[in-house]
Amino acid sequence: MRPTLGEVDDRPVSERSARIGEAGPFRMLFEFARKSGYQQRRLEPGVLDFTFGDPHEMPIPEYVEALRAAAVPGDELWFAYKFSLVEAQEAAAESLRRVVDLPWTGDRIRMTTGGFGAITLAMKSLADPGDEVVYSLPPWFLYEALALEAGLVPVKVRIDPETFDLDLDAIAAAITPRTRLVVVNSPNNPTGRVYPESTLRALADLLEAASARNGRRIYVISDEPYNRIVFEGVTFRSPAEFYAHTVLCYSYGKTLLAPGQRLGYLALPPQLPDADQVIDAVESLQVAAGWLFPNAVMQYAVPRLETLSLDVAHLQAKRDRMTAALREMGYDVATPEGTFYLFPRSPLPDDEAFVARLAEAGVLVMPGRLFETPGYFRICLTATMETIEASLPRFAQVLEQVSG
Ligand SMILES: Cc1ncc(COP(=O)(O)O)c(C=O)c1O
């Protein structure tokens, strides 16, 4: 509302930032952190923390050594302004060729400040304010905030609750002439589901047909920071293999368990037409949005960082221990195929009430409501095996209390 003559509009923040602040899961996340006293509670002795995908152990020495070596200047321009460093792009492309079977090249990769940076650049370089972006629930809780910040309209669809697979009919029904983007996240946070090839092929067919019908191309943002965290017997396939108009967004924060170091990239598949235009748009945005490039030291470290990973076999052992124990107690939990999350059903219909009961017993997890999927809760397995073992009697005790 405009002030009348003589009055002053004293609202301190822009309508744009107020709108982002109100974004559903984004606001809930802050409330969750504040209301549960999370920051203090997670440090209390005896409290077992399974909330955020943060590290619970000291970083591996090779990681620290890679950063230390990258911080030693090799020339006077070492710490000069940097766009994407060619050494980083080439190392990223070489590694990506091993994960997603396409002939990726460094010139179609741009280094970003983690997955956040890659997703926001993809959204803004491909879509205009007012365009719609379709994604499935439960989502990563920041899609809505990133979409609103880009001026886009979030359109949310359900997944198949039995299989945690994409519901392609729901996606097809959600597409309108304003649809510009579909976000796909596999391996999925929080369900741990890796979407099968058949789903991704059918999605590609659906999007080809919808683009032709609309007379405007629909792009896929493939958000795949967990594409290297896949368990035995499971094959990861990227949507980029089946749909040329895909932008792949990656973060090193998960594979290296160092999310605070803000490193990732955006990669365009070799078969994408007009890639030069997209790359130009991405790079211009990186500058204009506030120099959204990873810092020089992180970029110099990429070739060495690409040789490192968290211990996926140990993570799988933690997954196996936790799922088997929870099931034996009576929890309803699917076996995740990748990522470091479990997404069991809440024994109480009110997942927040159940999460509060667990918190009273000193176990911190996230309610499904944070993922716009009430009736579930998320456990993050970056916690140590010792923490998992210590938590099991408490999970059993709280289940008994709420069932009784
Ligand atoms: C599905 C998904 N996408 C993107 C991100 C962002 O990753 P980063 O914080 O490393 O940028 C996360 C982090 O939790 C995630 O789970």
Side-chain angles (χ1 to χ4, degrees), residues 152-224:
L152 310 183
V153 181
V155 177
K156 305 168 189 182
V157 298
R158 289 270 149 202
I159 53 168
D160 179 333
E162 294 309 314
T163 61
F164 286 163
D165 202 357
L166 290 178
D167 183 336
L168 296 175
D169 291 339
I171 293 176
I175 289 175
T176 76
R178 292 300 303 178
T179 306
R180 178 63 160 170
L181 301 171
V182 174
V183 181
V184 178
N185 167 222
S186 177
N188 186 266
N189 170 12
T191 64
R193 183 82 163 108
V194 174
Y195 301 137
E197 179 179 337
S198 54
T199 299
L200 299 177
R201 281 191 188 279
L203 177 69
D205 291 346
L206 184 168
L207 296 180
E208 282 298 347
S211 299
R213 207 170 49 243
N214 284 352
R216 188 174 183 230
R217 175 58 63 184
I218 298 172
Y219 281 82
V220 166
I221 294 181
S222 181
D223 178 23
E224 41 186 277

Side-chain angles (χ1 to χ4, degrees), residues 228-274:
R228 288 149 172 90
I229 308 178
V230 175
F231 301 125
E232 225 169 62
V234 180
T235 306
F236 167 76
R237 304 299 299 265
S238 169
E241 294 174 72
F242 310 106
Y243 190 66
H245 291 83
T246 295
V247 175
L248 187 154
C249 296
Y250 180 68
S251 167
Y252 289 82
K254 312 298 172 188
T255 315
L256 301 174
L257 255 187
Q261 289 297 110
R262 312 309 310 145
L263 183 67
Y265 58 77
L266 175 154
L268 304 183
Q271 73 278 28
L272 175 76
D274 301 325

